[in-house]
Amino acid sequence: MSIQPRNSGEQRPQSLLFRFRKFSTKIIFVTGVSVLLGAVWNVVVGRQGIHRLSSEAAAEIEAGLNSANREYLTNHLEDKATHVNLRLGEAYRDLQTLAGVLQTVIDREEDVAPFLRTAADFPYFRDQMKYNPKGNWYQNDPSEPSVVSVWGYLGKDGTILPEVQRAVDETAFLDLILPAFGKYGADKLQIYYIGPEDKPYVRLTPYTDMASTFDRLYPGHNDQGWYKFFFPGIAESWNEWAKDPAGLSAHPDQTTVTAPYDDAAGGGIVMTAFHPLWAKDRKTFVGSVGLDLTLAQLIASIKDVKLATAGFAFLAQADGNVFAVNELGAKTLRLRTEAGAGQNSGVGMLQRFFKDSEDSGVSGIVLPNDDKVDYREMVISGETYIIALQRLAPVNGWAGPDARIAKERWTMGFVVPKKEMYASLLAAQKSIEKSRTVIVGTQVLITIASFLVLMLGVYLISRKMTGALVALSTGATRMREGDYGVRIDVNSADEIGQLGVAFNEMASEIEAYTNNLEELVGERTRALEKANEEISELNAKLAQENIRLGAELNVARQLQLMVLPAPSELQEIPGLDIAGYMAPADEVGGDYYDVLRSDGLVKIGIGDVTGHGLESGVLMLMVQTAVRTLLAANERDPKKFLSIVNKVIYQNIQRIRSDKNLSLTLLDYSDGGLQLTGQHEDLIIVRKDGTLERVETMGLGLPIGIDLDISDFIGSIEVKLETGDVVTLFSDGITEAEDSAEEQYGIDRLCQVISRNHERTSREIKDAIIEDVLAHVGYNKIHDDITVLVIKRV
């Protein structure tokens, strides 16, 4: 492409700014920046894509690990809990079996009494009791199968009380039973029988010097009853069972266990389980059997649970006392071990509570309240752990001094560091991150090389393109300066050549258009004048149509206002002072109120058609006509009256294919009584003494016009009016009127205005309401019809 220059000798300065303004420089710059941005964006998107892929892969792996870990821990925990339940249950069943044997002996006392008395005389069963004056107790010979200890308060002057001796003799046959129960079944430290509260001697196997051991470990035990000293409150609880109105049937499982404690006799951590024995009539507690269950193996099995590297298991009572946990677990949970009371006064309980932990997370642990495995995560000392909890089988528990027996549920827990359970996930994430760094680095190098090659190609192509573009630019400049005869020589067939052809054609058209511009201006002027005449004619027609429509709306508005009761008509109603007000939001409103008289009955109505405007106004007139017609027809049943009004309005709505409906409440007044039917806004009543009542009408019907038959939903209530009482009916246009801040007027403010003015006339009350509403609205637009009707009995 070429063009004849007007001044071939003209020289342009070759400054840096000028070079930047050249098209070739711009295209190289723009292309370079675009490619560079695209490359950077590509790297960023690629990196984010890899990151997203990493995240999604990690999420999938984590989901799989979550499911697998949860299933593994849950199954392992349930198996371990079942094992513990079985071990404890075996001991409880041994105890229940022994209690069953002794209870049978008690129930069949008359039948077995000869055997019991005779058995005590046999050498194998005979108890050779010896008195120890220093300790003030009686105990049999160590060669006998079981030790029998009778405390000093059960004897006198070195002799066992006769009734106590008789009770000891009657249980001599246990020398044949207790050793077998102690040897077989669950791993038991001791098994024994304790007499009733008034003679609590003890028969225990295997034989041990029980009396001397008690003197050494439990000073003062011989000064008070065995139950009261060692297990205060346990006998009282059993006695309360017998007093239960439902009897012992309310306690089918009577096995009662203590909390685990450190056996003062060197037996390690033990737990005592009792089973009470009852008189034949089941109303008196007559003794108990018990066993000391060593928990060493059970606790060892809990301590030996291996969960990953730093995981552990524990057993806790319902009150959060952790009695079985290894040293690592106790350190992790930051538990504090305290010696329980009882070294000198009864059994001392092991105390190591969650709530006393030095870690706030552990101290707030809540044990499960159902039998499902509770699986959760928690933070301990800044590290996340997975914890799974499972309740064990219930048993009656004695919690300590003076405590009553209550259901006890131990809880087994597994605690595992989350990082150990998710080690494979962390390794995978680390590998993915390393691969991402290599990929991004390689992508950056490839992008830089591609950018350099591309910029070289752009530079070579731009040099060829800019020659033709410079010619086009020069031709355009000359055309701008008024030289419409300029033409460009086209010597290429690419897009720039086509642009040159288009330029020449455009120059020809501009030259021709310029020559004929005056003629074209005249033609356009004439066309605009004709269009202006048509617009003026159309505006005149629209003005006439607006006048016609305004007249029709004005007629509708006047018609609507004409059917409202006139003040003179309201003044003729005896016994009532009535004042009404209605202001439509548009030319025609949708609110309705009316006051009609017929044969001593005053029919008062108020309603609100959905929306406002001409259609709502027409529906309001339909309601007024239907009400007046039914009243003229002497229809007196309020519910039937409202049902017929609904049916007429519904059928008219269906005929005119409208979706409108309205709320409507009708009031029948006669001799101081006001009967309400139909659903609308609340009825506000201010009594003569200033008491304010609000009568809700939502339960007295349904909106009119939504269904053909609403008779089943129509209700009715009666209100008695005394002289001076004021009743106010209103539409939601009052309570929902908004000020410039869009705050609604509200029913509370309306009630306040009525209460302040209730001693005034109905008209003055009405005026006070309207003035207050308009003051609230101010210059804001009123969006809904405003209607109020004030009725005062005089």
Side-chain angles (χ1 to χ4, degrees):
M1 251 176 224
S2 64
I3 187 171
Q4 294 182 354
R6 288 186 298 175
N7 184 2
S8 59
E10 182 179 352
Q11 297 296 323
R12 294 182 180 269
Q14 298 296 312
S15 65
L16 181 61
L17 180 60
F18 173 75
R19 288 182 178 275
F20 184 76
R21 289 178 177 175
K22 292 178 63 177
F23 179 77
S24 59
T25 305
K26 291 181 177 179
I27 193 171
I28 293 173
F29 177 77
V30 171
T31 303
V33 171
S34 300
V35 172
L36 183 60
L37 290 176
V40 172
W41 180 251
N42 184 45
V43 172
V44 172
V45 170
R47 186 180 185 281
Q48 292 300 318
I50 297 173
H51 178 71
R52 183 173 63 253
L53 180 62
S54 171
S55 300
E56 292 175 353
E60 289 292 332
I61 296 173
E62 185 174 3
L65 286 174
N66 277 337
S67 178
N69 291 338
R70 183 172 190 137
E71 182 176 2
Y72 163 72
L73 287 179
T74 299
N75 292 340
H76 190 11
L77 179 61
E78 289 177 342
D79 290 344
K80 194 66 179 177
T82 301
H83 175 72
V84 173
N85 281 331
L86 289 175
R87 295 195 62 174
L88 295 175
E90 182 182 10
Y92 298 157
R93 285 189 292 274
D94 287 352
L95 185 65
Q96 291 165 356
T97 302
L98 177 59
V101 171
L102 290 175
Q103 189 64 60
T104 301
V105 170
I106 294 171
D107 292 344
R108 304 297 299 270
E109 180 180 6
E110 295 179 358
D111 298 332
V112 301
F115 163 74
L116 297 179
R117 288 192 295 270
T118 304
D121 295 331
F122 281 87
Y124 181 80
F125 297 111
R126 185 178 299 120
D127 296 312
Q128 302 293 332
M129 304 299 296
K130 298 179 181 180
Y131 178 67
N132 185 311
K134 181 179 179 181
N136 187 27
W137 42 258
Y138 309 83
Q139 192 162 281
N140 60 343
D141 192 85
S143 63
E144 298 181 24
S146 61
V147 59
V148 179
S149 298
V150 180
W151 318 118
Y153 50 79
L154 300 179
K156 185 177 182 182
D157 299 328
T159 304
I160 299 174
L161 294 175
E163 62 271 20
V164 177
Q165 183 64 56
R166 185 168 54 255
V168 171
D169 293 342
E170 289 177 351
T171 58
F173 76 97
L174 290 178
D175 285 352
L176 192 65
I177 297 175
L178 291 182
F181 271 95
K183 182 177 181 181
Y184 300 105
D187 186 14
K188 297 177 281 292
L189 186 65
Q190 295 170 327
I191 185 164
Y192 43 90
Y193 166 85
I194 309 98
E197 283 188 278
D198 58 342
K199 39 184 177 291
Y201 67 94
V202 178
R203 184 179 292 275
L204 178 146
T205 190
Y207 192 98
T208 180
D209 188 1
M210 178 167 51
S212 296
T213 301
F214 278 14
D215 284 349
R216 176 169 49 87
L217 299 178
Y218 305 114
H221 75 93
N222 207 1
D223 296 332
Q224 53 183 308
W226 189 89
Y227 290 101
K228 185 174 183 180
F229 180 83
F230 289 101
F231 301 98
I234 196 169
E236 289 81 355
S237 292
W238 287 336
N239 286 325
E240 289 176 1
W241 288 0
K243 296 175 184 178
D244 192 311
L248 294 179
S249 61
H251 304 276
D253 179 13
Q254 297 178 11
T255 301
T256 305
V257 303
T258 69
Y261 60 92
D262 194 359
D263 182 35
I269 301 298
V270 298
M271 177 182 71
T272 299
F274 291 103
H275 196 292
L277 302 172
W278 307 96
K280 187 175 182 178
D281 60 3
R282 299 300 189 270
K283 294 182 179 180
T284 307
F285 159 63
V286 295
S288 63
V289 290
L291 59 84
D292 289 341
L293 180 65
T294 177
L295 300 180
Q297 293 182 0
L298 177 63
I299 293 175
S301 69
I302 297 301
K303 292 181 177 180
D304 291 342
V305 171
K306 299 297 182 182
L307 300 170
T309 302
F312 58 90
F314 66 81
L315 267 178
Q317 295 174 257
D319 59 0
N321 183 26
V322 182
F323 64 88
V325 66
N326 59 28
E327 293 182 4
L328 174 62
K331 183 178 180 181
T332 300
L333 297 174
R334 302 180 70 181
L335 299 175
R336 293 188 298 178
T337 303
E338 298 180 4
Q343 290 298 326
N344 297 315
S345 58
V347 175
M349 304 303 170
L350 179 67
Q351 296 183 352
R352 187 164 51 189
F353 293 95
F354 283 127
K355 63 182 178 63
D356 296 328
S357 170
E358 297 175 358
D359 185 276
S360 59
V362 176
S363 64
I365 287 179
V366 177
L367 298 179
N369 55 10
D370 55 34
D371 294 331
K372 297 179 181 177
V373 174
D374 185 350
Y375 188 91
R376 68 179 85 159
E377 290 185 7
M378 65 178 298
V379 177
I380 304 176
S381 299
E383 184 176 350
T384 302
Y385 286 79
I386 295 174
I387 179 170
L389 304 173
Q390 171 73 66
R391 288 201 316 181
L392 301 185
V395 67
N396 299 308
W398 174 77
D402 299 323
R404 289 297 181 259
I405 296 173
K407 283 295 181 183
E408 167 72 20
R409 298 291 294 261
W410 289 0
T411 296
M412 177 177 289
F414 284 177
V415 181
V416 191
K418 184 176 181 180
K419 65 181 181 182
E420 294 186 4
M421 301 296 289
Y422 291 86
S424 59
L425 172 63
L426 297 176
Q429 288 178 326
K430 184 176 180 180
S431 177
I432 292 173
E433 182 63 28
K434 183 177 180 180
S435 299
R436 181 174 65 181
T437 302
V438 173
I439 292 172
V440 171
T442 303
Q443 190 177 20
V444 169
L445 294 176
I446 294 173
T447 299
I448 293 174
S450 300
F451 174 74
L452 295 176
V453 172
L454 179 63
M455 291 305 299
L456 178 60
V458 170
Y459 172 73
L460 296 175
I461 294 173
S462 66
R463 289 189 62 184
K464 182 177 179 181
M465 292 174 56
T466 53
L469 293 175
V470 168
L472 282 170
S473 176
T474 305
T477 301
R478 290 175 56 181
M479 186 180 293
R480 185 180 61 209
E481 294 174 353
D483 184 4
Y484 300 116
V486 65
R487 299 293 184 272
I488 298 175
D489 293 334
V490 179
N491 52 16
S492 64
D494 57 11
E495 288 81 358
I496 296 179
Q498 295 174 7
L499 181 60
V501 172
F503 178 84
N504 289 336
E505 293 176 352
M506 181 180 64
S508 299
E509 291 178 1
I510 292 175
E511 185 177 17
Y513 182 78
T514 303
N515 295 332
N516 300 319
L517 181 59
E518 188 173 342
E519 181 180 349
L520 291 173
V521 170
E523 291 178 359
R524 291 295 176 90
T525 301
R526 289 190 294 273
L528 289 173
E529 289 176 349
K530 183 177 179 182
N532 187 46
E533 291 176 359
E534 293 176 353
I535 291 173
S536 298
E537 186 176 335
L538 182 59
N539 284 337
K541 291 181 179 180
L542 289 175
Q544 292 177 358
E545 184 67 15
N546 284 337
I547 293 173
R548 184 185 66 78
L549 290 175
E552 291 179 357
L553 288 175
N554 187 53
V555 170
R557 177 185 177 88
Q558 293 299 323
L559 181 61
Q560 184 181 32
L561 296 176
M562 286 171 60
V563 299
L564 295 177
S568 59
E569 183 180 347
L570 298 178
Q571 294 173 2
E572 295 175 357
I573 299 176
L576 295 178
D577 176 17
I578 304 177
Y581 175 88
M582 186 179 78
D586 289 335
E587 288 84 351
V588 181
D591 279 2
Y592 159 78
Y593 83 86
D594 206 351
V595 181
L596 303 170
R597 295 175 59 195
S598 176
D599 297 333
L601 176 69
V602 179
K603 176 73 74 171
I604 303 169
I606 187 166
D608 185 1
V609 182
T610 54
H612 42 82
L614 183 58
E615 187 176 348
S616 297
V618 171
L619 189 56
M620 171 266 195
L621 292 174
M622 293 179 186
V623 174
Q624 196 274 346
T625 302
V627 171
R628 182 175 285 274
T629 301
L630 285 173
L631 189 62
N634 203 27
E635 177 59 57
R636 295 289 179 166
D637 185 343
K639 294 183 180 179
K640 184 177 180 181
F641 193 105
L642 185 61
S643 179
I644 296 173
V645 170
N646 172 75
K647 187 173 295 185
V648 171
I649 298 305
Y650 175 80
Q651 292 172 342
N652 283 353
I653 288 175
Q654 297 302 309
R655 172 172 289 182
I656 65 177
R657 294 182 176 84
S658 173
D659 60 353
K660 302 284 187 181
N661 59 74
L662 74 149
S663 62
L664 177 64
T665 293
L666 297 177
L667 303 87
D668 291 346
Y669 175 79
S670 178
D671 297 328
L674 197 62
Q675 187 171 15
L676 288 75
T677 54
Q679 180 189 106
H680 187 60
E681 303 296 327
D682 289 359
L683 192 76
I684 300 175
I685 302 174
V686 178
R687 300 295 183 181
K688 182 178 180 180
D689 61 359
T691 303
L692 187 139
E693 301 173 10
R694 285 171 54 181
V695 180
E696 185 177 348
T697 64
M698 294 302 292
L700 303 183
L702 290 177
I704 302 300
I706 64 171
D707 197 2
L708 179 63
D709 185 5
I710 64 170
S711 56
D712 293 338
F713 302 95
I714 297 175
S716 178
I717 58 176
E718 294 185 1
V719 177
K720 189 68 175 178
L721 295 183
E722 303 293 341
T723 301
D725 292 348
V726 177
V727 178
T728 304
L729 308 173
F730 61 94
S731 67
D732 60 4
I734 286 184
T735 55
E736 295 177 3
E738 296 180 345
D739 60 10
S740 57
E742 297 185 355
E743 181 179 356
Q744 293 187 350
Y745 183 76
I747 193 170
D748 292 336
R749 184 166 173 176
L750 176 60
C751 291
Q752 293 173 5
V753 174
I754 300 171
S755 296
R756 287 198 303 266
N757 296 275
H758 76 280
E759 294 181 350
R760 305 171 70 181
T761 65
S762 292
R763 179 176 179 180
E764 290 173 334
I765 297 173
K766 178 261 296 181
D767 291 341
I769 293 172
I770 300 304
E771 289 175 4
D772 196 56
V773 171
L774 295 179
H776 173 78
V777 174
Y779 295 102
N780 199 34
K781 177 178 174 57
I782 296 177
H783 299 284
D784 199 0
D785 307 331
I786 291 179
T787 300
V788 64
L789 186 64
V790 181
I791 306 165
K792 183 172 186 179
R793 186 177 181 191
V794 294

